[in-house]
Amino acid sequence: MRTKNSRLVYADGNQVLAAMDRRGFIRLGACAAVSMLAGCGGGSSGSQAATTPDQSSTLPAGVPMTLSVQQAMPNTATLDASFASLSYEKGHINTSPGVYFGPGNTNLIGLLNALGAGMLRIGGNTVDRNTWTPAGVGQTKGQVSRIDVANFAKFIKRCPRWKVIYGINFAGARGSTSSPSLAADEAAYVAQQLGGQLLAFEIGNEPDQYGDSRTPNLSGITYDIFLNGGTVAQGTISGWNQFAQAIANAVNGAVFSGPAASSGTSGWAESFAVSETGKIALVTEHYYISNYSSAAPTIAGMLNYPDTSLVAELQKLQSVSQQAGIPFRIDEANSYFSSALPAGVSNVFASALWAVDFIFTHAQYGASGLNFHNNGSIDSYAVIGDAQGVVTAVQPLYYALMFFSQIFADGASGQLLTTALSASDVAVSAFAVATGSGATYVVVNNKDSDNGANVTIQLDASASRATVMTLASSGANAADQLANPGIYNSGAGITFGGQAVALDGAWQGTPQQTLDVTDQRVTVHVAPVSAALIRIR
């Protein structure tokens, strides 16, 4: 693919020379045009007069392109509001003084319910650092008690359209204790408390990384030892199969996902899917776009599309999923991980535009969904900021999940459609979904900082009306808009449908345009550094 060199301007004014593929070319200069979709400089979000294709000359300046929307894309999973969901550290259950996962956290309950439905994964490194202590007093570091699980159950029952993947300690890290019997006892109580909202148990976290500095007690572990047990640094251990059997004996009809492998080690998830076919209902793996091994995080690097490493990982998982007949899910994912270094990249508006592409890339390659990991830090990749058990911020990344969820706001499911976008040097991506309610949703994601996009959508079926809702940031220019961390982190406003999301999930966004569809065509202007959700019916 042809590449260009462009001087990229970051929020701090520094410049570097970078080579990027044509679709991923990010030009962080001044905003070139005022958008009638409120995508530039925090412009008006009011309604606009209907614009039909033969009136396209009245559109703001933008690069013309055509998007052909065709039939359903083969080998993809059914999409619904649960497709793009959340992952949390298990430590959020038991270490928050305010009981983060408790029935009194009405803000968090509101934010989850505002997304319609979801799949909440309780996992992360703290899965392997907490000992099941059934008689414990609760809210105690290093322990998970019946009180903690009961609080969590009361919380999730207030989010009735959410299911749970629940992590169980395997590694016994940092002085914690794990065993098949403890796992079975915890699983039995979790199943009793969560009832039908329990989707699956996940045993351990990133077992392909066991034996490193975080789990030196497992030094010498191999895939076979993880699976079937054997001798490691701490002595003889039980394997995943022994843990799963103990849980299955304690919980009638227990369902398992796994192995929750890191994307850094090739083959673990694939081998697990083959060896454990019939024992698991979901293959799980993790993915982050960078671990700082080669370069510091940058907005331009984050927005580079497509992410070829992600595509390769998804293709491998899709292949083994089809062979084993088991769906797969990236159940822990995000951009640049670490609690401090990503500040100014992972916690700004650019992350919302990145996440739109990230979500749809998963859909294109057959994933049954993904879970954005949430560490709560507003200086990092958090979806929802929190401190001491209290919700403190609706982060820019949350807006991407809200944007996606509106496709399924009426409860319908959907199918990804094949699309073809005419070539240009503008950093625009586009996707389409046909829903069971009869509507077609088109997403146009414009990461380009210099150019608007005038996209003529060519449908393969008749339609009469299109409405447009825009995801946009505020700022004096495109660079400021991309680097805007939002109002909860000393930034400016971020809106979807002309409205911000409140701490309790309240949101009153509405379409900002209504357009006529003529001869199965409609043209939409999408301003620089904004995304448009177009509902066509």
Side-chain angles (χ1 to χ4, degrees):
M1 179 174 289
R2 177 165 64 93
T3 62
K4 281 192 173 186
N5 285 332
S6 174
R7 197 162 293 279
L8 304 180
V9 184
Y10 302 110
D12 60 5
N14 293 328
Q15 295 182 332
V16 297
L17 196 65
M20 305 184 73
D21 66 76
R22 181 172 62 197
R23 291 285 177 87
F25 186 54
I26 310 298
R27 294 183 290 271
L28 300 180
C31 187
V34 176
S35 168
M36 63 183 178
L37 294 183
C40 180
S44 170
S45 62
S47 299
Q48 300 291 329
T51 302
T52 54
D54 62 347
Q55 296 173 316
S56 58
S57 61
T58 65
L59 292 171
V63 176
M65 56 190 74
T66 299
L67 175 69
S68 173
V69 178
Q70 303 162 6
Q71 297 300 310
M73 183 176 290
N75 301 318
T76 57
T78 299
L79 305 178
D80 59 24
S82 298
F83 187 87
S85 292
L86 296 173
S87 168
Y88 271 91
E89 290 288 331
K90 192 173 183 179
H92 265 78
I93 285 183
N94 63 324
T95 58
S96 300
V99 188
Y100 187 73
F101 285 125
N105 195 345
T106 55
N107 282 348
L108 183 59
I109 290 166
L111 286 166
L112 265 59
N113 284 331
L115 298 177
M119 189 181 296
L120 182 61
R121 183 243 183 184
I122 301 299
N125 289 327
T126 53
V127 159
D128 287 318
R129 299 173 185 171
N130 282 277
T131 301
W132 172 240
T133 311
V137 298
Q139 296 178 251
T140 302
K141 186 176 181 179
Q143 297 182 2
V144 174
S145 72
R146 289 194 182 102
I147 292 172
D148 298 316
V149 171
N151 273 327
F152 176 67
K154 291 174 184 175
F155 166 86
I156 204 65
K157 286 175 182 176
R158 295 195 62 185
C159 305
R161 296 187 62 203
W162 282 73
K163 305 287 187 181
V164 176
I165 296 176
Y166 187 90
I168 298 284
N169 188 340
F170 176 91
R174 297 195 178 179
S176 68
T177 302
S178 66
S179 69
S181 59
L182 282 174
D185 191 58
E186 181 177 7
Y189 190 74
V190 169
Q192 176 194 8
Q193 289 293 305
L194 297 188
Q197 288 182 268
L198 175 64
L199 181 71
F201 293 109
E202 193 169 64
I203 302 169
N205 179 73
E206 299 184 353
D208 50 320
Q209 301 298 312
Y210 287 163
D212 65 6
S213 60
R214 294 172 296 180
T215 53
N217 54 307
L218 294 181
S219 178
I221 195 171
T222 63
Y223 175 77
D224 185 67
I225 292 174
F226 165 70
L227 202 61
N228 300 306
T231 301
V232 295
Q234 70 181 28
T236 301
I237 65 167
S238 298
W240 186 93
N241 276 308
Q242 286 75 47
F243 275 74
Q245 188 59 58
I247 292 171
N249 291 339
V251 179
N252 186 35
V255 176
F256 298 95
S257 65
S262 163
S263 64
T265 304
S266 177
W268 264 68
E270 295 88 341
S271 297
F272 191 81
V274 172
S275 67
E276 302 311 298
T277 298
K279 298 179 184 178
I280 59 173
L282 183 67
V283 180
T284 57
E285 191 173 272
H286 302 166
Y287 187 86
Y288 291 81
I289 64 172
S290 176
N291 61 0
Y292 309 116
S293 58
S294 59
T298 65
I299 287 176
M302 180 169 61
L303 291 181
N304 191 21
Y305 174 84
D307 180 343
T308 55
S309 295
L310 173 63
V311 169
E313 202 66 34
L314 293 174
Q315 286 175 325
K316 287 192 300 183
L317 290 169
Q318 184 179 38
S319 177
V320 75
S321 171
Q322 291 170 345
Q323 293 173 27
I326 305 169
F328 74 96
R329 188 177 186 95
I330 304 297
D331 74 344
E332 181 181 318
N334 220 298
S335 56
Y336 297 98
F337 65 76
S338 181
S339 59
L341 287 174
V345 179
S346 292
N347 67 335
V348 298
F349 179 70
S351 70
L353 300 183
W354 161 76
V356 171
D357 284 343
F358 194 69
I359 291 168
F360 278 100
T361 301
H362 281 73
Q364 288 175 318
Y365 291 94
S368 64
L370 70 158
N371 296 68
F372 288 93
H373 200 52
N374 197 75
N375 62 8
S377 169
I378 63 172
D379 293 326
S380 185
Y381 55 62
V383 179
I384 300 168
D386 69 80
Q388 301 296 305
V390 176
V391 171
T392 59
V394 178
Q395 293 286 89
L397 191 52
Y398 181 90
Y399 281 82
L401 274 70
M402 174 66 83
F403 181 96
F404 181 81
S405 73
Q406 289 307 296
I407 298 173
F408 314 101
D410 58 3
S413 58
Q415 180 69 45
L416 192 69
L417 300 177
T418 301
T419 57
L421 185 66
S422 61
S424 76
D425 283 334
V426 182
V428 172
S429 52
F431 314 93
V433 176
T435 66
S437 63
T440 296
Y441 285 84
V442 173
V443 171
V444 179
N445 192 16
N446 185 3
K447 285 88 61 182
D448 200 285
S449 59
D450 283 346
N451 296 291
N454 290 335
V455 183
T456 297
I457 302 166
Q458 176 68 62
L459 304 167
D460 67 352
S462 296
S464 60
R465 190 63 55 87
T467 58
V468 184
M469 297 178 69
T470 302
L471 174 62
S473 178
S474 302
N477 54 54
D480 288 347
Q481 292 165 39
L482 285 169
N484 174 23
I487 60 174
Y488 298 105
N489 202 357
S490 302
I494 294 170
T495 59
F496 174 45
Q499 296 293 319
V501 180
L503 280 178
D504 63 356
W507 173 73
Q508 301 297 324
T510 57
Q512 293 142 294
Q513 279 188 294
T514 298
L515 308 172
D516 291 330
V517 180
T518 303
D519 297 329
Q520 299 177 197
R521 295 162 65 91
V522 62
T523 300
V524 178
H525 174 78
V526 184
V529 296
S530 71
L533 179 63
I534 305 144
R535 182 181 188 272
I536 303 173
R537 189 157 186 174

